[in-house]
Amino acid sequence: MRSVFRLGLAAMIAALAPAVCVAQAPPPTGSKPPLSAYGALPAVELVALSPTGRRLAFVGVSGETRVLSVVDMDDRTVVGRAGIGEVKVRDVQWIDEEQVLVTVSSTEFLPDLGLVKEELFFARVFEPAAERVTPMLARDPDMFPALMGPAEVVGTDGATLLVRAHSFTSGIDLYRVDPQSGRARLAERMGREVDDYLLGVDGRAVARSEYDQRTKVWSLHLREGNGYREVWRTEAPVDLPGLVGLGLEGESVIVVADRPDLDRGGRTPTRFFDVDMKSGEWRPLRFEFDPTGMLFHPATRRLIGVRRVEEDGMRYAFFDDAALVLWDAVEKALPGRAPELVGWSDDLTSAVAFTSGTGDSGSYHFVDLELGAFTDVGAAYPDIEPAHVAQIMPLSYRAADGLEINGYLTLPSGKEPQGLPLVVLAHGGPAARDTAGFDWWGQALAAEGYAVLQANFRGSTGYGQAFMEAGYGEWGRKMQTDLSDGVRHLAGAGVIDPSRVCIVGASYGGYAAMAGPTLDRGVYRCAVAVAGVSDLRRMVDHEAAMGSRRDNDTVRYWSRFMGAERLGDRSLDERSPARLAEQADAPILLIHGRDDTVVPIFQSRAMAEALRRAGKPHELIELAGEDHWLSNTGTRRRVLAETVRFLGEHNPVD
């Protein structure tokens, strides 16, 4: 009989802090955490539950060094720890009860192979109990050691590890990897024409898709014996269909696609379809809500639920009784805290959930149905006490053209919501969204005394296809004024002082920050742009040069969102901050990582040069060794410190 415990695991994880987490004592109750506490990487992240649910793996950080720890859930002992190094950890998943697969990435420059500064992914197999680390693919002289797709673990007994990889002699194919040696052997020929694939529970691919950049044709192929038959094809210049997973019974595959020919009169259109693997017949899938993601059984790989990001957190629906019972137990254990599923055991009797938001800087929780046990297992930001997590309020207002815009307002603790200085914090993407959870950047600014507006402007995801399409061609136009309309809404309500507003953002949000003083003038006292796009035409040209063909689906995607008719469309210059620098009416701080492979650093350098020529106040800070996602503790803390300094100089709280 397993020992029953309800408390104590969180304390044990905290005790690992000298080896795993930032070894700083928590601030005394009542004192504000230092700014560095918000800028730190999470002390605990990428928590993964083993197939039996008896072991927990997680990644901690000490400075820039990542450490993998494995804890036994029965007796609360540490099974083992392994140093991962100063690398960026992207994923943790169990192979079996003894082996953990960790995926990391690094920015590489390999001109001999034609790779000019790309983010490459690598995998390592850790056996914490044996203190052994085995790199995948590294011992095969014929194999390029980087992953060409996500590594997948299939099955529970004698789990199979498969990954798309590149052989110098045969090209890109699917390989089966031996976790003990890291060596690979061919599982299935695929070639570059295969765009994606789905694995069955036995590790064999049951479906795959192909995409031809030249003809813009996407095609679906289903397993038939030892080969495949094509069952559908469509021209897809921009919105490519996609393979999602296995259907409810495991005899079909789920495909996301535009199929207006299958719409039934009077029914809400759907983009999710169930395709029978034998007949090739398509059946529309409809759920009680429009999902933003799907959930699959950890062992059978079949569809068992859907989820949707909503204003107050994640919403779930389950089609499997065991999953429904488990999640009901999680929600009862965490009432009103909008838990998110992190992982579950193969028998669906235990799960790990994550909560964050007002009063919660991020917490992991373990629920065991067999034992009736609930345990808090770790905090993402242990140095930020609940009392110092500012209130996050859902917000709704009308844009100038009447479109409803939703978002969040974070208010500084202890201050009356009247006449506050405001920071507009614009999200990236732009096809993304802000949520009600803890945001380290927004919370840090609120702790400094600013109200923080995070608006899900048109073009954001989570509000339906029509809302996202409303953002097409609206860079620097309505996507921009959606933000300043939020400023005017808050000013009209008396919450903020309209003369004390700055705009901050990263990636697309960095573009919005630069576009504020140059295209939507008269609103902001300053702007902070991190890794932002300043010259739209040059950005599209860069994407064209990076593809196998200049006219590729990535170029077409950005051209549609930005509003370009063709490559080299000079109309983009009218909405490029770097070409409008002389119009800037507020100081701009530019921050950019030199290892950014998403938005090249020349975008910030070009903006800085344009502002210099125009005689406009600005600063440029380049971050050595940093990527697009601010993956390093030191540089992330510096970004936060420089942001607060710049805001304090141009929009002081008092």
Side-chain angles (χ1 to χ4, degrees), residues 8 27 29 34 71 98 128 136 168 184 209 278 324 368 429 466 475 504:
T29 301
V71 174
E98 304 297 330
M136 275 179 52
F168 290 111
S209 61
K278 290 184 179 179
L324 187 61
D368 189 318
W475 280 52
V504 176

Side-chain angles (χ1 to χ4, degrees), residues 205 249 312:
E249 304 300 327
D312 57 351

Side-chain angles (χ1 to χ4, degrees), residues 7-32:
L7 300 173
L9 187 57
M12 183 186 67
I13 289 180
L16 292 174
V20 179
C21 306
V22 178
Q24 295 179 341
T29 301
S31 66
K32 186 181 76 172

